[in-house]
Amino acid sequence: MGEVFDPTAAGGSQVLSTYDSLWIQSFGGCDGVLGDGSCQTEQRRSANGFLPSQMAPKENPFYLDLPFDDVHDQTALSMRQKVIPWAGEPAYATPAGDPTASLMKNRWVRIRANGQTCYGQIEDAGPGSYHDASYVFGSNDQRPENRKFNGAGMDVSPALNGCLHFTDVNGETDTVDWQFLAASDVPAGPWTAIVTTSGTR
């Protein structure tokens, strides 16, 4: 959050998300360290719950994106009630009928890598693709259709990067396995210290 790796990007790099046009304000600022007037990623440690060293987040610092934007991508929006497994649950009945509300935002994901298991909430869409239903919801271990960023199928926050013991804070080579979870199945941990509940805006 706040890192601008491409100032010409239509999505504003990491200043806004597809689900929150004011994400940097909602989050509370740069999810890292400010240097030379820009937000830069920093390595996270378990000693302080993988939090940034220079700010106190207002929303969950354990966040990620997946390549399915069910609000702004018309292909994803048109298929979401058929492909999103929880779309038919009573809690999602109202959002499912509202094209401005997301069925993806704030959903929990369990991620495993390097012998670690961590949990995060979906707060953006990408990378590189925005309606990859086969990868996001498929059951046959489909690879991401995205070919950018070493074929990445998700981006994770600095907190998740540290929690999962990734090799590089800005790398593209780490691999994970992951699974959607209901909020009731998420165990207590640093990822539940602040839980994001805001809707699209």
Side-chain angles (χ1 to χ4, degrees), residues 1-9 12-15 24 37-40:
M1 165 45 49
E3 183 182 40
V4 180
F5 57 86
D6 180 4
T8 66
S13 289
Q14 304 302 317
V15 176
I24 191 165
S38 65
C39 180
Q40 301 172 8

Side-chain angles (χ1 to χ4, degrees), residues 22 24 49 85 88 158 174:
L22 299 173
I24 191 165
D174 289 280

Side-chain angles (χ1 to χ4, degrees), residues 128-142:
S129 180
Y130 298 95
H131 50 254
D132 191 356
S134 295
Y135 167 68
V136 177
F137 306 111
S139 58
N140 60 350
D141 199 28
Q142 179 71 35

Side-chain angles (χ1 to χ4, degrees), residues 26-158:
S26 302
F27 188 78
C30 167
D31 187 12
V33 293
L34 291 171
D36 297 326
S38 65
C39 180
Q40 301 172 8
T41 310
E42 64 175 340
Q43 190 69 50
R44 301 299 170 82
R45 309 290 180 200
S46 60
N48 74 335
F50 303 101
L51 293 172
S53 62
Q54 294 185 354
M55 61 89 74
K58 297 178 181 178
E59 294 190 338
N60 196 343
F62 290 79
Y63 55 86
L64 64 134
D65 69 14
L66 284 172
F68 195 83
D69 175 0
D70 71 324
V71 174
H72 293 104
D73 185 278
Q74 292 304 306
T75 301
L77 177 60
S78 69
M79 70 171 77
R80 70 179 186 175
Q81 292 192 55
K82 296 179 180 178
V83 299
I84 296 179
W86 54 90
E89 295 176 7
Y92 291 91
T94 299
D98 180 356
T100 67
S102 174
L103 308 186
M104 298 292 290
K105 187 179 189 304
N106 302 335
R107 189 72 184 190
W108 285 94
V109 175
R110 179 179 68 195
I111 309 173
R112 297 185 295 194
N114 304 311
Q116 307 300 307
T117 300
C118 306
Y119 301 80
Q121 290 181 274
I122 298 170
E123 300 302 335
D124 200 2
S129 180
Y130 298 95
H131 50 254
D132 191 356
S134 295
Y135 167 68
V136 177
F137 306 111
S139 58
N140 60 350
D141 199 28
Q142 179 71 35
R143 300 295 82 199
E145 67 181 16
N146 170 51
R147 292 296 174 261
K148 300 177 182 177
F149 320 114
N150 201 28
M154 72 166 57
D155 289 320
V156 302
S157 69

